[in-house]
Amino acid sequence: MEFKLAKDHKLFWLKNKSWLEVELKACFPTSHPDKYFSIRDDQGQELALLEDLNILDDQNKQIVESYLSFKSFVFEVIGIYEIEEDYGLRHFEVKTNKGDRSFQMALEIWPQVFEDGTIVFEDLHGEQYQAKNLEFGHKTLEAYL
Amino acid sequence: MNTQYFDRYLKQHATLPKKIKEVVEIKCADRVIFYALSDLDEHFEKNEKWIVVGSKELYLFQGEDFKVYALDSISVRENLGKVVNNLALLDKSGNVLETLWFGQKQNILFAQLKYLLEEGIENINATADELYQDGLLKPLLKNQASTEIKENQVVWRLLSYLKPYKKEVFQGSIGAVGLTIVSLFPAYLSGKVLDKVIEPFQDGRLDGKEAMQIGVLFISTLGLIYLAKQFFIWLRLKKMSIMGEKVARDLRADLFKHIQTLDMDFFASKHTGTIISRVSSDTDRIWDFVAFGVVEVSIAFLTLIGLSGVLISLDWRLGLLMTVPVPIIIFAIYRHGERMKRMFLRCWRRWSELTAIVGDTVPGIQVVKSFNQEKKEIRRFSNKNEAALNEFNEVHEAWTKFWPSIFLVVHGIMILVWVMAFPRLLSPASEVGHISAGTFVSFLLYMTMFTQPIEIIGQMARMLNRASSSAYRVFEILDTKPVLDTDESVVKTKLKGEIEFQNVIFSYDGVRNVLKGINFRIEPGEMIGLVGPSGSGKSTITKLMNRFYDVTSGEIKLDGMSLKRLEIGNLRSQIAVVHQDPYLFHGTILDNITYGNDKATLSQVIEACKAANAHEFILKFKEGYDTKVGERGQTLSGGERQRISIARAILNDPKILILDEATSAVDTETERKIQDALDRLVEGRTVIAIAHRLSTLRKANRILVVKDGEIEEVGTHQELMKNDGEYKKLQDMQTEMFNLLHA
């Protein structure tokens, strides 16, 4: 399988000697993030199933990984400065791997804690944040888990 | 415009920076039609790149630099990730000129930007600032209040609900003040009896008979005081709790009444659960605060002030020793309350998880049993049950440590009081600083009264927070105004059923038009079929007729009169909608059929049900028409619910009937019965039938084929089949599918 990546991270797949614009949809984005990707055309039709990234040669694997690092990117929370409850929402001030950010969650939506200890926050706009190893702010967060 | 959302939450400008606006409007002599912010760079770090759409050009501003592209020279390509997205600007050969990176917050604006760049900027019905602010604030406003009430205003407004109950407030306050005052007497009298009766009697300064008389008087007074105390407690509790219930009832009534007046937009933006909790638990919390919070806190303060005054007046040195640490203790209790609040939050979470399993498993019990998964469910429940137990244990661990510590401090102070007082008790009465045994006993009794008000004041902040946030949520709904535009001269009229759409354009978000200039006219009694792919705008047409929304531009007329001139209740009572999955309320079949026409006679009900092919199956139930239907009518099959809704529509005798996929979810036999019922229902009415199964529309006088918000074709089934257009394509597909299934 041969892929190429455009400047805007659009992925193209070489099929029958022509480059097709495709999307790679992870079938198990949380439980098995590096296995089973559906290769789909711009109409959302499945063209092929990529079972494992390891079947690709190094160059193509790198391209696909680079594409996936954009597609599946979430902000990594390093520390929590403040969590405050306002009317109807919970406001978070955090430090992430991409600088300080703030986000809001609906009061009835809570951070999800996975078995490996990863905490996932989804804000009102659908932005995702995840915390694995907090440097600070454990105590502040504790009440909301 | 309230900029606090931008400053506090979004952390970006509330409007296009002035400098950029000036460049576009003055330097480039253009106007700002739309703008958005690219808030991330290619490394997904914070960025500020503004994109401005002018009348013919697109401007990109980054810091001091800006670039200009002619709108007709570029196209766009969207690439959406889980969190980070981009919109690429492409030249005519498809080369990427710019990649604009943005997070989810900007998503709506970039979707609008893409739409504008692809479809053109002609149909924008809002200003650039409105579109920008609306696009960014929508998700926030869905959860946050749209009102701007300050916390203290909320409390005052809440207290204003007490106005009609001045008498109860007065009586309750008399109870509270009376209780505080009489509570102070026993300790005072006890000290006096000790000093003036017991001690003189023991010293031989007072004879036994006189001492006994005073003793009887003292005990009787004490008895009366306790009686008075119980009376004041009864007065306060009764008056305030009843009044609290009345206030909560008034709030619930106002709230529910107001909810009925709100537009569909409101219900689309709020979760059903949120609205339910505002009517139920929020009003309940307010009751709690009004009935007990206000009074308890007032009593606590009154008691503390009274006690401090009495203690200091009895003995200023011991009094100060007792009262000075009080603020520190209150603060400690407040901090403990805050900690407990966080802990209770966790408990509440674990509790919700536990109840969620029950809520999930019970409705799905058939699946659980058929897959033999009972043990797995029990295990799942046990794990959550254990987690809840652990959280509750932590709470108990915390409070059982805290309160003994606080009382240890209080008792420590009491020991200190003893230490200070003892030498003075033993000193001769003539010596300066001597304290009599009676005064000291009074002092001791007052000290024991000190802890309860301290505890109540410590909880005050939490109670106030809870009540004011609930009140805020309630007032938010009460302050939401219906947005439907109404002509001042609304009329009630009996419709004939003539419908006319004149160049109707409609957009849910102000940018993307769902309907793009719809024109048609339906004569009274005509049956019209609406067909087209999902999302083409068919249901939107029927929603506009019901005035769930107002048109963006153009006009809808009924009997030649603008829809806005018709009183909404009058309009809706003459339009009936039969849905694919009709909603039935809790109650009997009879209640559901007569919903909308409770004046119908029983024979009319039976007649309607016969016409709807519902009478026979209803009578198969043991309770006949009095059979209770479960939640959302779940005890009935889809076809049965459908026929009840048809009977309901027949009974309402509407002039206009909308059939929204009325027969698409049932088997062939049931479909035949429903179709028979519908054939009877449509007689003499104007009918708009939306259908995927085109065979059901053969009786339609005309069929409108809707595609992408426009009417693509109009004609009878035969005419459209000859046209070889969209309708024929749909019909051929369905025939092919039928043949495949029946091959």
Side-chain angles (χ1 to χ4, degrees):
Chain A
M1 281 183 166
E2 218 173 305
F3 294 95
K4 75 173 182 182
L5 202 60
K7 241 168 111 180
D8 59 339
H9 280 58
K10 272 281 176 199
L11 191 68
F12 292 84
W13 182 42
L14 190 63
K15 194 190 175 195
N16 301 331
K17 292 185 181 169
S18 66
W19 288 103
L20 275 180
E21 185 186 315
V22 292
E23 288 273 336
L24 238 63
K25 184 99 183 105
C27 298
F28 311 102
T30 311
S31 56
H32 300 92
D34 52 354
K35 287 197 165 59
Y36 292 97
F37 297 93
S38 169
I39 303 173
R40 307 172 92 79
D41 66 12
D42 54 359
Q43 300 298 309
Q45 297 293 315
E46 185 171 273
L47 304 172
L49 197 66
L50 174 60
E51 289 183 15
D52 197 322
L53 291 188
N54 292 322
I55 64 164
L56 300 174
D57 63 40
D58 284 352
Q59 192 194 342
N60 280 296
K61 191 179 168 191
Q62 211 178 344
I63 289 170
V64 171
E65 279 175 345
S66 169
Y67 167 82
L68 290 173
S69 70
F70 149 62
K71 280 285 180 181
S72 55
F73 173 83
V74 292
F75 291 104
E76 185 77 39
V77 177
I78 298 167
I80 294 178
Y81 297 115
E82 188 192 5
I83 303 172
E84 208 179 308
E85 277 183 15
D86 273 354
Y87 293 115
L89 51 84
R90 200 166 283 125
H91 177 72
F92 291 73
E93 294 278 349
V94 296
K95 181 183 176 184
T96 74
N97 57 338
K98 299 292 178 190
D100 290 350
R101 296 189 69 85
S102 63
F103 61 90
Q104 297 79 36
M105 291 178 81
L107 276 188
E108 55 269 33
I109 307 291
W110 301 85
Q112 266 186 287
V113 185
F114 288 88
E115 275 180 17
D116 66 350
T118 307
I119 303 160
V120 174
F121 310 82
E122 184 162 335
D123 84 345
L124 293 174
H125 294 86
E127 218 149 69
Q128 272 199 14
Y129 293 76
Q130 113 183 355
K132 268 185 187 158
N133 300 303
L134 281 180
E135 285 173 11
F136 59 93
H138 300 89
K139 269 208 159 262
T140 317
L141 180 62
E142 208 181 49
Y144 304 97
L145 298 179
Chain B
M1 172 65 217
N2 193 341
T3 58
Q4 68 161 6
Y5 291 107
F6 287 90
D7 299 340
R8 175 152 171 74
Y9 299 139
L10 298 167
K11 311 237 159 128
Q12 69 183 70
H13 294 278
T15 52
L16 184 70
K18 211 174 153 196
K19 252 167 90 177
I20 294 177
K21 202 174 176 196
E22 280 172 4
V23 172
V24 175
E25 291 181 346
I26 299 168
K27 202 169 168 185
C28 304
D30 202 345
R31 65 191 176 99
V32 177
I33 291 171
F34 183 89
Y35 60 91
L37 174 72
S38 159
D39 62 343
L40 296 173
D41 64 15
E42 61 197 71
H43 307 294
F44 314 150
E45 281 171 5
K46 272 188 188 167
N47 190 33
E48 193 175 316
K49 186 186 264 187
W50 289 93
I51 303 104
V52 180
V53 180
S55 49
K56 285 201 172 109
E57 266 143 357
L58 180 130
Y59 306 85
L60 293 183
F61 289 85
Q62 172 107 51
E64 296 296 312
D65 303 327
F66 80 97
K67 290 180 188 172
V68 185
Y69 296 99
L71 288 178
D72 56 9
S73 71
I74 52 169
S75 60
V76 285
R77 186 165 73 189
E78 189 181 52
N79 199 357
L80 303 178
K82 199 170 180 179
V83 168
V84 172
N85 317 288
N86 72 51
L87 189 74
L89 302 184
L90 311 173
D91 64 15
K92 287 200 166 158
S93 323
N95 299 315
V96 177
L97 297 167
E98 295 279 345
T99 309
L100 305 166
W101 295 91
F102 58 96
Q104 296 294 107
K105 285 190 180 100
Q106 320 297 326
N107 225 352
I108 297 176
L109 289 174
F110 271 86
Q112 290 174 346
L113 175 66
K114 178 175 176 269
Y115 179 83
L116 290 179
L117 295 178
E118 283 174 348
E119 304 289 325
I121 53 173
E122 291 78 28
N123 290 322
I124 295 187
N125 300 303
T127 67
D129 285 345
E130 282 167 358
L131 291 170
Y132 172 79
Q133 288 164 354
D134 193 46
L136 285 165
L137 296 181
K138 223 171 206 174
L140 278 170
L141 293 177
K142 268 187 186 177
N143 286 276
Q144 257 263 352
S146 48
T147 47
E148 294 172 34
I149 318 164
K150 298 268 184 303
E151 192 164 331
N152 55 355
Q153 289 174 330
V154 172
V155 176
W156 284 119
R157 190 163 161 193
L158 184 58
L159 293 178
S160 73
Y161 268 81
L162 298 176
K163 261 188 197 163
Y165 309 108
K166 281 180 194 149
K167 195 174 145 199
E168 281 91 341
V169 174
F170 179 72
Q171 288 170 332
S173 306
I174 292 281
V177 174
L179 177 65
T180 310
I181 293 169
V182 296
S183 298
L184 296 174
F185 281 112
Y188 179 78
L189 290 177
S190 304
K192 285 291 170 204
V193 167
L194 207 66
D195 278 350
K196 306 285 180 198
V197 184
I198 296 170
E199 209 183 277
F201 169 72
Q202 285 170 344
D203 294 348
R205 284 182 279 129
L206 192 72
D207 70 59
K209 199 180 164 195
E210 202 178 342
M212 189 53 82
Q213 276 174 350
I214 298 173
V216 169
L217 187 66
F218 164 70
I219 294 166
S220 311
T221 312
L222 214 56
L224 284 175
I225 286 172
Y226 286 132
L227 265 179
K229 191 174 168 180
Q230 290 317 308
F231 168 75
F232 287 129
I233 289 176
W234 168 81
L235 186 68
R236 174 178 70 91
L237 289 179
K238 186 179 172 187
K239 294 295 167 189
M240 297 312 264
S241 55
I242 289 174
M243 188 203 59
E245 285 291 5
K246 283 180 180 169
V247 168
R249 176 206 56 194
D250 294 351
L251 265 171
R252 277 195 298 270
D254 279 1
L255 200 57
F256 194 73
K257 192 174 154 197
H258 190 71
I259 284 172
Q260 301 298 321
T261 68
L262 294 175
D263 305 328
M264 295 306 287
D265 265 341
F266 171 82
F267 297 98
S269 69
K270 296 268 184 247
H271 296 295
T272 312
T274 312
I275 300 171
I276 292 171
S277 81
R278 291 183 196 199
V279 179
S280 55
S281 52
D282 281 330
T283 49
D284 203 47
R285 278 181 181 188
I286 291 168
W287 169 80
D288 205 23
F289 172 72
V290 172
F292 298 109
V294 179
V295 180
E296 291 286 344
V297 167
S298 315
I299 291 177
F301 268 114
L302 274 175
T303 311
L304 263 189
I305 293 166
L307 280 175
S308 303
V310 172
L311 286 177
I312 292 169
S313 71
L314 280 173
D315 187 292
W316 68 270
R317 277 166 288 196
L318 296 182
L320 282 179
L321 186 67
M322 198 65 206
T323 50
V324 166
V326 170
I328 301 165
I329 294 172
I330 290 176
F331 181 69
I333 295 172
Y334 165 74
R335 288 297 300 267
H336 171 71
E338 289 296 298
R339 186 169 165 232
M340 292 300 281
K341 188 168 123 182
R342 287 197 293 274
M343 295 181 99
F344 273 123
L345 207 59
R346 284 174 66 92
C347 287
W348 183 77
R349 289 270 295 125
R350 299 293 93 82
W351 192 251
S352 307
E353 286 166 6
L354 187 75
T355 52
I357 292 185
V358 183
D360 195 26
T361 315
V362 173
I365 196 74
Q366 203 177 332
V367 182
V368 175
K369 284 186 181 297
S370 46
F371 283 90
N372 193 28
Q373 291 297 303
E374 292 94 331
K375 280 185 186 159
K376 185 183 167 185
E377 291 303 331
I378 292 169
R379 207 166 44 244
R380 207 153 70 100
F381 183 82
S382 298
N383 290 342
K384 296 290 177 193
N385 204 7
E386 206 58 35
L389 174 77
N390 291 339
E391 290 297 345
F392 280 109
N393 279 349
E394 280 201 30
V395 167
H396 297 312
E397 182 84 10
W399 76 262
T400 50
K401 267 185 195 161
F402 177 79
W403 285 105
S405 313
I406 279 290
F407 283 109
L408 193 68
V409 172
V410 173
H411 291 133
I413 296 167
M414 288 179 175
I415 295 288
L416 208 59
V417 169
W418 269 101
V419 170
M420 300 279 285
F422 208 72
R424 292 168 57 196
L425 276 165
L426 297 180
S427 66
S430 54
E431 198 176 297
V432 181
H434 170 79
I435 183 169
S436 71
T439 306
F440 189 63
V441 164
S442 298
F443 202 92
L444 288 179
L445 290 173
Y446 283 129
M447 280 201 308
T448 56
M449 293 167 68
F450 232 77
T451 48
Q452 204 192 1
I454 291 176
E455 195 183 319
I456 291 168
I457 291 168
Q459 290 167 355
M460 180 188 71
R462 198 175 145 218
M463 189 184 275
L464 191 69
N465 276 343
R466 277 163 55 102
S468 64
S469 89
S470 288
Y472 192 93
R473 284 150 58 91
V474 169
F475 292 144
E476 183 203 350
I477 295 186
L478 286 176
D479 290 346
T480 306
K481 300 272 182 284
V483 290
L484 285 183
D485 181 19
T486 312
D487 194 313
E488 279 175 8
S489 52
V490 286
V491 290
K492 286 185 180 180
T493 180
K494 207 167 164 61
L495 294 173
K496 286 193 218 102
E498 182 198 288
I499 306 165
E500 191 176 1
F501 272 54
Q502 291 179 340
N503 198 24
V504 169
I505 293 172
F506 178 71
S507 161
Y508 286 101
D509 63 5
V511 173
R512 274 170 288 188
N513 291 332
V514 182
L515 299 181
K516 301 167 185 167
I518 298 281
N519 286 293
F520 63 80
R521 185 188 163 93
I522 307 173
E523 298 301 329
E526 216 183 350
M527 181 180 180
I528 293 294
L530 272 185
V531 298
S534 298
S536 56
K538 307 184 298 286
S539 293
T540 306
I541 290 176
T542 62
K543 282 177 189 162
L544 291 181
M545 279 183 50
N546 252 310
R547 261 204 100 189
F548 290 140
Y549 303 94
D550 269 344
V551 297
T552 307
S553 71
E555 192 151 42
I556 300 174
K557 287 183 171 174
L558 290 186
D559 292 357
M561 202 185 314
S562 167
L563 212 56
K564 289 179 186 173
R565 283 205 61 205
L566 289 164
E567 198 264 329
I568 288 186
N570 176 250
L571 164 76
R572 289 180 187 159
S573 70
Q574 297 183 75
I575 300 178
V577 187
V578 178
H579 289 287
Q580 179 183 354
D581 185 16
Y583 189 90
L584 299 187
F585 292 99
H586 264 297
T588 63
I589 290 177
L590 179 64
D591 293 337
N592 272 287
I593 293 170
T594 54
Y595 192 84
N597 183 4
D598 51 11
K599 290 194 180 85
T601 63
L602 293 179
S603 55
Q604 283 173 322
V605 170
I606 292 172
E607 217 172 296
C609 285
K610 280 185 176 170
N613 276 344
H615 182 68
E616 291 307 317
F617 86 77
I618 292 171
L619 289 189
K620 281 183 186 157
F621 294 119
K622 211 169 129 193
E623 297 291 325
Y625 282 83
D626 292 327
T627 303
K628 288 221 185 252
V629 292
E631 197 172 337
R632 296 177 72 108
Q634 289 308 325
T635 47
L636 304 174
S637 74
E640 288 166 346
R641 288 205 301 276
Q642 190 68 273
R643 279 175 279 166
I644 286 184
S645 80
I646 293 170
R648 182 159 69 186
I650 292 173
L651 211 56
N652 268 345
D653 193 21
K655 269 292 151 200
I656 297 167
L657 182 67
I658 295 168
L659 306 175
D660 193 351
E661 302 283 353
T663 59
S664 63
V666 291
D667 57 69
T668 320
E669 175 57 18
T670 313
E671 185 190 347
R672 191 187 58 76
K673 286 180 184 164
I674 294 173
Q675 198 56 55
D676 279 352
L678 286 175
D679 288 347
R680 285 191 280 267
L681 174 60
V682 299
E683 276 167 31
R685 307 179 208 277
T686 307
V687 180
I688 297 181
I690 298 177
H692 272 135
R693 241 179 284 178
L694 303 181
S695 55
T696 58
L697 293 177
R698 292 214 169 130
K699 285 185 184 163
N701 301 93
R702 277 180 300 153
I703 293 167
L704 309 182
V705 183
V706 187
K707 197 181 173 192
D708 294 332
E710 287 171 300
I711 292 180
E712 190 104 337
E713 291 172 275
V714 184
T716 61
H717 171 73
Q718 288 76 13
E719 285 166 356
L720 293 173
M721 285 304 283
K722 281 182 204 155
N723 270 3
D724 205 17
E726 191 67 25
Y727 184 81
K728 176 143 193 319
K729 217 157 68 183
L730 285 168
Q731 179 71 48
D732 290 346
M733 271 163 64
Q734 286 189 4
T735 311
E736 202 178 313
M737 185 69 79
F738 181 84
N739 292 338
L740 269 173
L741 288 170
H742 295 84

